[in-house]
Amino acid sequence: MNKPIRAMAVVCLLMFMGLLLNANYVQFVQADDLNEKQGNRRVIDEEFSRERGAIIVDGEPIAQSVPTKDRWQFQRKYTDPKLYAPVTGYFSYQYGQAGIERSYNSILSGSDDRLFVNRVIDLIGNDQPQGGSVELTLDAAAQKAAFEGLADLGEDTRGAVVALNPQTGAVLAMVSQPTYNPNQLSSHDADKVTRTMQRLEKDTTQPLTNRGTQTILPPGSTFKVVTAAAALDDLDLSADDEVRGGATLGFPGINYKLVNQGGSTCGGNPISFERALEVSCNVSFGWLAGKVGQEKMSEQATKFGFGERPIEDLPSAVSRFTADPDATLEPPQLAQSGIGQYEVAATPLQMAMVSAAVANDGVLMKPHLVRTVVAPNLSVLEKPEPEELERPMSAGKARELRDMMVAVVDEGTGSPAAIPGVDVGGKTGTAESAPDRPPYAWFIGFAPADDPQVAVAVLVESAQNTSDIAGGRLGGPIARAVMEAVLR
Amino acid sequence: MSAAGATPAWIPRKRRTAELGLLLLAIVIGIGSYAAVGLGIDGTVPAGIYTVGAVYAVVALGAHVAVRRFAGYADPVLLPLVVCLNGIGLVMIYRIDLGLDSIGSPYGPFAQGQLRWTILGVLMFVAVLVLIRDHRRLQQYTYTFGLAAIALLVLPILPLIGSAKRGAQIWIQLGPFSFQPAEAAKIALAIFFAGYLVAKRDALALAGRRILGVDLPRGRDLGPILLGWLISVGILVFQRDLGSSLLFFGLFVVMLYVATERPGWLVVGTGLFAVGAWFGYLAFGHVRARFDAWLDPWADPDQNYQIITALYGLGHGGLLGRGWGQGSPELTPFGFSDFILSSIGEELGLAGLMAVIVIYGLIVERGLRIALTCRDAFGKLLAVGLSVSFALQVFVVAGGVTRLIPLTGLTAPFLAAGGSSIIMNWIIVALLLRISDQTRRPAPEATPFTGDEATQVVKLS
C-alpha cells in the first residue's frame, strides 16, 4: 500500500503548496488593492487614528487633528467650521471625507507616495506616521466678508459667493449658505454623527451642497457680459456703437415679444452699446444674441469655461449654454439665452471666472484652491503655478468691456457695489425662475479696474427679508464687502 | 555463522529528549505570544502570565510524560507541533476576546473555555494512549465504529438535543455544553473504513468487472462501505454541513484508493465530486451563495461581509503582520473560530500564516510517514485516513478563508475555538502516536526454534 500513500503525500504537498502560494497572492500581491477598497474598516480605523495634516488659511489652521483620549487618539477639529465648510468638507468615520479633506486625503493622511521616505523614517523610529498639510489660497478677511454678507440677509438665505484673483486664478473666497458644522460629522460619537448626517441629508435646503461650485442656475443679466464679449468680437462693435433699444423685441411670424424688466424702454431706441449694458437692456442683448448667432454665442460661452468642470479640488457642476449642445434654438430662445435665461445655467464660480477673464485683459486663469502642499518636515511638496486656461477675448476688446462694466457700477444698475476711490466693474443679474418663486439675484464684479486684484460672483437664491430681489440691491453690497476686504 | 552475529544490532532510538526540547520551544512560543499580546494591547505583560503559563506548561509536559511512559517509541515531532499550534490558537482567542470586549461585542470570552477544552483534550490524549495499548485492537470493532459514526451524525437532527447555529444543523446541545458530533464521527468513520477495507481489500481490488477502464468491485464487497459513506454524507447534506460532507467524501475515496491501489478510484471520486458539486450548485441556494461569494465577494458586500472583512484583515496584515494585539481581528465575525487563520494572517502577517500552514503540513507529513512505516495494513490505512482527512480539513478551511476555494465551514484544527474540535484532534494525534509507537518499537526477541517445533504445522489465524 506504500505506493498510493506516497501518491497521497504528493497530493498533500500540492495542496499545501497551493495554500502557501495563495496566501502570498492575497497578502502580498493583492494587499494594496484590498487596502484601497471602499469601506475597509481597518484602513479607515488606521487613517482615523493617525495625526492628520492641517488645512491652513493665512497661516492659521482651519482644520487640524487634536489628540484625544479614546481609541482613535486624534480627532479632527475645525476652527470656524461653518465659515469654511464648503471648502474643507468633513472628515468622518462613517461617511468618509468631502471637500479638500477628500481631494487631498492622501497628503493629509500621510499615505501619499511623496511622503514614502517620511513613512519609512516613522517606521524605523516607531512613530505614528504623520500627514502633510495643505495651505489654501483663501483670504480669511474676504471669506468672512462674504459669509457675513450672506448672513446679514437673514437666516434662511440661500446663496453663494466666490471670489477669484483674476491674475492667478486663486480662489480668495468661497462661501455657501446654508452651511453645516463639519465638527459634528468628525465627532467620535458615532450615533451623533449618524443623526447629524441624516438630518443634513434630509434638509431640503441642502446644506451639504457647495453652492459656489455645485449649483447651476440661470445667471440672468450677468450673462450679458458673455453676450457683450461675443458682440464685441464677432460684430466688431465698440462701446459707443448704437444697438437696438426700445421696450420690446419682436420676432417675425412668432407671437412672442421679449420685454425689458418692468416694461421700460431702456431710454430710447437706438441706444449706445455701453448704455445698454448700464441699464441691462434685455431688448438690446436679445437682439445682439440673434445677430451673433447661436454658434458664436455657444463658442464664446465655452471659451469662458462653460461645458467644463472648472476646478479639480472640489466637486463641481458643469455650466451650460444649452441643455442639448446639438439642439438648434428658435430665435426667441436664442434671444432669451442672450440675456442668461432659457436653458443657460451657471455656477457662481463660472460667473466669477467670466468676470475675472474680462478684468484680466481677456486671459482666463485656471481656478485653484491650494497654494502649497507641505510635508510634515515642512518641505514644500507642491506649489501650483498660475495656469492659463483660455483666452476668451482679445486684450483690446477685454479692456473695452471692462470699461463698460465700470460704467455699470458708476452710472448704472451696479451702483451698490461702488467703492469710493476705486474703479469697480460689475454687472447685476435678476434671473427669472419658476413663476411661483422669486427670481435669483446675481452680481458679478471686479476691482480695481486697471490692476484687477479680485473678481467676485454673488448668487442669492432666496432671502427671507425681502421680496424685492434684485441683483444690484442684494448682491452688490456683498460683492463690495468682499472686494474691499481683499483690497484693504 | 556464529550465533552472536545473527542478532541485528539496530536499536530504534526513542528520541524522547529531542521531543522534550522541541516541546519546551513550543511552550516558550506560546507563553511568549501571550506576553506579546499583553504588551501589544496594554503595554504590560498579562496578569495571568505566571498562572496561565504554568498551567499550559504543565499540561504540555504532562502529555510528554504520558508519551514517555505509554508510547516510548512514538514519533517525537508530532506532539511539539501540536502544542505549538494549540498555544498560538489559545493566545489568538484571548487576544480576540480583548478585542471583542473593546468594541462591546456580546460574544465571548472564549479563551478560558478553550483552555479548559485543551486540558480535557490532553486528558483524552493520555486516556487513548493508556487505554489503547495496541491500535490493532480497534479493528475488532470495525462495524461498531461504523454504526457509532452514523449514530453520532444523526444526533444533531434529533429533537431536544439537536441545535442549529448559523444555518447548519450540526450541533447537539446538552445543558450548557454544545458539541459538534461530526468531529467524533470523522474518527469513527476512519476506523470503520480502515477495518472494513483491510478485510475486503483483496476482494475489492481483484474480484469484479472492468467497465470503462475502471475495475469495479462486486456489489457485496463495496456495498457496506458505500452505504456507510452515503448515509454519512446524506445526513451532512441534510444538515447543510458542506465542509464535513466534502471531508467525508474525500476520506472515503482516498482510503479506497490506498487500500485497493487502484488510481481509478481517484478518477471516479473526482468525477462524482464534480457531479455532486454541480448538482449542489443547481439544487441548493446555500451552495450557490457560497460559490458566488467565492467568485466575486464584492458583488454583494452585505451578504459576503465575513469573507470580505477576512480578506481585508489578511491584506492589512501584509508581509509581517500588525503584530500581536495591534490589528483588528475582532472586526471579522468568528475571527476566533472559523476565521482564525485570517486573524493570524492579520496580526502575524504572511510570515505567521505561512508558518502555521507549514506546521500543519509537517503534522500531515509525520502522519503519512507513520503510515508508510507501519507494518500492519490496518494501522497503515488508519494513519493514512487520519492524516489525509487532517490535510483536507486544513486545505478546505485555509483555502476557504483565503479565497482559494469556496468557503465551506470547517474548523482550523488546534487553533479555532471549539471544544469538540480540540478534543477530537488531540485524540487523532494520540492514535497516530500509538500507531507510530507500534511501528518504531523494536521487534520482540525471536525465540529460537527447537527441532520439534520446526516440524509442526504452521498455524493459520
Side-chain angles (χ1 to χ4, degrees):
Chain A
M1 285 193 285
N2 281 354
K3 205 178 141 219
I5 293 175
R6 288 203 177 88
M8 288 325 297
V10 172
V11 170
C12 289
L13 181 71
L14 290 175
M15 288 197 302
F16 279 84
M17 289 288 284
L19 289 178
L20 291 174
L21 285 174
N22 185 57
N24 276 274
Y25 175 68
V26 173
Q27 294 204 265
F28 181 63
V29 179
Q30 239 188 357
D32 287 343
D33 285 344
L34 288 169
N35 287 334
E36 274 162 24
K37 291 260 187 203
Q38 285 287 316
N40 187 335
R41 259 189 77 185
R42 287 174 173 87
V43 177
I44 297 172
D45 273 338
E46 197 186 33
E47 224 166 55
F48 214 68
S49 49
R50 205 181 272 176
E51 185 171 3
R52 201 173 163 82
I55 303 177
I56 295 164
V57 168
D58 281 352
E60 297 291 327
I62 58 168
Q64 58 184 328
S65 291
V66 296
T68 57
K69 294 227 182 300
D70 59 14
R71 74 187 182 98
W72 283 297
Q73 295 172 45
F74 287 99
Q75 180 164 359
R76 202 65 167 159
K77 280 270 185 241
Y78 299 87
T79 43
D80 265 330
K82 291 193 159 186
L83 178 63
Y84 291 108
V87 177
T88 56
Y90 50 79
F91 179 64
S92 156
Y93 184 78
Q94 295 108 299
Y95 298 101
Q97 318 93 12
I100 290 288
E101 295 276 26
R102 185 193 187 93
S103 50
Y104 281 82
N105 185 48
S106 64
I107 287 285
L108 292 167
S109 69
S111 60
D112 193 273
D113 285 342
R114 286 170 289 178
L115 299 174
F116 178 76
V117 177
N118 292 63
R119 281 207 301 280
V120 171
I121 293 168
D122 287 336
L123 187 71
I124 293 165
N126 205 18
D127 291 327
Q128 278 290 312
Q130 233 184 328
S133 53
V134 174
E135 189 187 7
L136 301 183
T137 57
L138 292 180
D139 177 318
Q143 182 82 0
K144 274 202 190 83
F147 186 79
E148 282 160 11
L150 278 178
D152 285 346
L153 294 178
E155 248 175 59
D156 297 322
T157 306
R158 276 180 252 169
V161 180
V162 174
L164 300 171
N165 180 333
Q167 299 180 21
T168 61
V171 178
L172 299 175
M174 185 170 279
V175 162
S176 177
Q177 175 83 9
T179 179
Y180 64 99
N181 183 344
N183 279 329
Q184 289 172 350
L185 295 175
S186 315
S187 159
H188 291 183
D189 182 339
D191 293 339
K192 226 163 97 183
V193 171
T194 309
R195 263 180 280 128
T196 307
M197 194 54 148
Q198 281 167 352
R199 177 175 59 73
L200 289 170
E201 279 176 341
K202 250 189 272 164
D203 195 331
T204 51
T205 65
Q206 296 174 294
L208 288 172
T209 303
N210 176 4
R211 292 178 144 77
T213 59
Q214 285 175 291
T215 302
I216 58 167
L217 289 173
S221 300
T222 54
F223 191 74
K224 285 171 185 163
V225 174
V226 178
T227 308
L232 284 166
D233 181 53
D234 192 46
L235 306 178
D236 202 24
L237 282 181
S238 37
D240 303 328
D241 287 345
E242 292 195 323
V243 297
R244 170 85 192 259
T248 58
L249 178 66
F251 303 92
I254 299 171
N255 185 24
Y256 170 80
K257 281 185 172 16
L258 186 69
V259 297
N260 288 316
Q261 182 126 39
S264 65
T265 66
C266 301
N269 184 12
I271 56 173
S272 78
F273 188 24
E274 185 172 275
R275 188 63 191 157
L277 193 69
E278 279 171 28
V279 298
S280 197
C281 184
N282 285 353
V283 171
S284 310
F285 283 90
W287 176 75
L288 280 171
K291 293 278 265 184
V292 170
Q294 181 184 347
E295 199 184 322
K296 282 282 167 191
M297 282 295 296
S298 174
E299 202 177 287
Q300 185 68 60
T302 307
K303 279 188 185 171
F304 275 115
F306 282 71
E308 295 281 341
R309 262 170 236 287
I311 194 161
E312 286 161 6
D313 303 336
L314 293 177
S316 55
V318 175
S319 305
R320 63 179 195 220
F321 179 66
T322 48
D324 174 7
D326 298 326
T328 308
L329 298 174
E330 297 294 326
Q333 295 167 344
L334 180 56
Q336 285 193 334
S337 302
I339 61 168
Q341 296 282 169
Y342 194 59
E343 285 171 349
V344 180
T347 60
L349 172 64
Q350 174 58 61
M351 293 319 293
M353 286 161 68
V354 169
S355 176
V358 173
N360 191 37
D361 289 349
V363 179
L364 177 63
M365 303 303 290
K366 189 176 168 62
H368 62 274
L369 257 169
V370 172
R371 181 176 294 159
T372 49
V373 174
V374 182
N377 63 5
L378 301 180
S379 66
V380 174
L381 295 176
E382 198 179 303
K383 191 179 170 91
E385 290 293 317
E387 196 183 320
E388 189 181 312
L389 206 59
E390 186 73 69
R391 284 177 185 266
M393 304 179 75
S394 71
K397 295 289 184 192
R399 274 185 221 119
E400 204 154 1
L401 184 52
R402 187 186 71 194
D403 293 341
M404 286 166 69
M405 287 177 72
V406 172
V408 170
V409 173
D410 284 350
E411 288 154 45
T413 52
S415 55
I419 305 171
V422 181
D423 276 344
V424 178
K427 181 72 197 83
T428 60
T430 310
E432 285 166 18
S433 55
D436 56 330
R437 53 152 301 154
Y440 307 113
W442 283 88
F443 188 90
I444 62 172
F446 52 80
D450 51 352
D451 176 28
Q453 298 299 312
V454 54
V456 65
V458 178
L459 160 69
V460 180
E461 271 180 68
S462 74
Q464 210 66 10
N465 282 357
T466 172
S467 58
D468 172 28
I469 286 223
R473 200 176 351 272
L474 287 182
I478 299 173
R480 188 183 69 184
V482 172
M483 292 189 286
E484 277 182 329
V486 174
L487 296 179
R488 200 178 292 140
Chain B
M1 264 198 268
S2 69
T7 336
W10 185 71
I11 298 166
R13 295 169 68 190
K14 293 184 173 182
R15 314 228 52 170
R16 291 275 71 85
T17 309
E19 179 183 77
L20 181 61
L22 289 171
L23 194 64
L24 288 173
L25 189 64
I27 293 171
V28 167
I29 290 175
I31 296 177
S33 303
Y34 186 48
V37 165
L39 288 169
I41 291 185
D42 299 326
T44 54
V45 172
I49 189 92
Y50 294 111
T51 50
V52 176
V55 168
Y56 179 64
V58 164
V59 169
L61 291 171
H64 166 73
V65 170
V67 173
R68 217 176 248 275
R69 170 75 181 76
F70 299 106
Y73 288 92
D75 183 284
V77 189
L78 217 37
L79 182 64
L81 290 173
V82 166
V83 166
C84 180
L85 279 181
N86 202 330
I88 292 175
L90 273 168
V91 172
M92 196 73 230
I93 291 163
Y94 166 73
R95 182 264 169 277
I96 294 176
D97 278 349
L98 297 179
L100 289 175
D101 194 40
S102 76
I103 59 168
S105 164
Y107 293 102
F110 299 97
Q112 271 213 332
Q114 184 78 349
L115 185 59
R116 274 198 289 270
W117 287 116
T118 301
I119 295 168
L120 201 58
V122 173
L123 288 176
M124 296 294 283
F125 168 88
V126 175
V128 168
L129 287 182
V130 173
L131 294 176
I132 304 172
R133 302 309 284 263
D134 185 343
H135 62 271
R136 282 164 295 196
R137 297 277 299 279
L138 292 171
Q139 201 181 349
Q140 296 168 350
Y141 304 102
T142 297
Y143 291 95
T144 316
F145 277 110
L147 286 174
I150 291 168
L152 279 166
L153 289 170
V154 171
L155 282 177
I157 39 178
L158 294 181
L160 291 175
I161 55 169
S163 147
K165 286 182 188 175
R166 287 180 267 148
Q169 185 99 22
I170 53 173
W171 302 77
I172 54 171
Q173 187 87 39
L174 283 171
F177 298 103
S178 62
F179 197 76
Q180 213 176 334
E183 295 274 1
K186 182 174 69 184
I187 301 178
L189 215 55
I191 296 172
F192 165 64
F193 285 161
Y196 185 84
L197 289 168
V198 163
K200 303 278 173 137
R201 56 188 290 243
D202 291 338
L204 280 166
L206 301 175
R209 270 177 296 182
R210 191 175 177 85
I211 297 170
L212 293 171
V214 177
D215 294 297
L216 285 185
R218 292 177 307 193
R220 60 176 159 176
D221 299 320
L222 190 64
I225 190 169
L226 197 62
L227 189 71
W229 167 71
L230 264 178
I231 293 174
S232 323
V233 170
I235 294 165
L236 290 168
V237 167
F238 188 65
Q239 295 168 350
R240 297 192 156 195
D241 188 353
L242 294 177
S244 296
S245 9
L246 175 61
L247 187 60
F248 283 28
F249 181 75
L251 181 67
F252 171 67
V253 170
V254 166
M255 289 185 76
L256 203 53
Y257 160 61
V258 173
T260 59
E261 304 199 21
R262 304 249 171 226
W265 285 115
L266 289 182
V267 178
V268 172
T270 314
L272 280 178
F273 172 76
V275 171
W278 178 242
F279 175 74
Y281 180 80
L282 293 179
F284 301 114
H286 62 281
V287 178
R288 196 158 46 239
R290 294 283 175 94
F291 195 79
D292 292 342
W294 171 60
L295 286 181
D296 183 11
W298 283 276
D300 187 354
D302 290 332
Q303 177 72 33
N304 305 326
Y305 178 73
Q306 201 174 12
I307 182 72
I308 288 176
T309 183
L311 289 172
Y312 284 166
L314 290 172
H316 204 226
L319 293 183
L320 299 175
R322 315 301 296 180
W324 280 113
Q326 309 267 311
S328 317
E330 70 275 2
L331 292 180
T332 308
F334 303 102
F336 48 86
S337 61
D338 290 21
F339 281 83
I340 197 159
L341 284 170
S342 148
S343 304
I344 285 174
E346 178 174 357
E347 297 222 316
L348 305 185
L350 177 61
L353 184 59
M354 292 217 296
V356 166
I357 293 173
V358 168
I359 292 177
Y360 277 132
L362 286 174
I363 291 175
V364 174
E365 186 261 335
R366 296 315 286 192
L368 290 172
R369 173 184 289 251
I370 290 166
L372 273 177
T373 52
C374 183
R375 284 181 295 250
D376 69 289
F378 174 74
K380 244 181 192 346
L381 263 179
L382 185 55
V384 166
L386 294 175
S387 309
V388 173
S389 72
F390 189 91
L392 267 177
Q393 179 156 0
V394 171
F395 179 74
V396 167
V397 65
V401 168
T402 57
R403 209 161 76 93
L404 180 63
I405 55 169
L407 194 61
T408 43
L410 280 174
T411 52
F414 296 109
L415 290 175
S420 13
S421 169
I422 284 285
I423 289 179
M424 289 308 149
N425 280 307
W426 271 105
I427 290 177
I428 288 174
V429 172
L431 287 173
L432 286 175
L433 286 183
R434 169 52 69 221
I435 298 169
S436 102
D437 175 51
Q438 291 287 334
T439 304
R440 289 158 47 101
R441 191 178 288 279
E445 289 287 317
T447 40
F449 290 122
T450 61
D452 283 346
E453 279 169 329
T455 62
Q456 280 180 351
V457 177
V458 175
K459 198 177 140 200
L460 281 170
S461 63

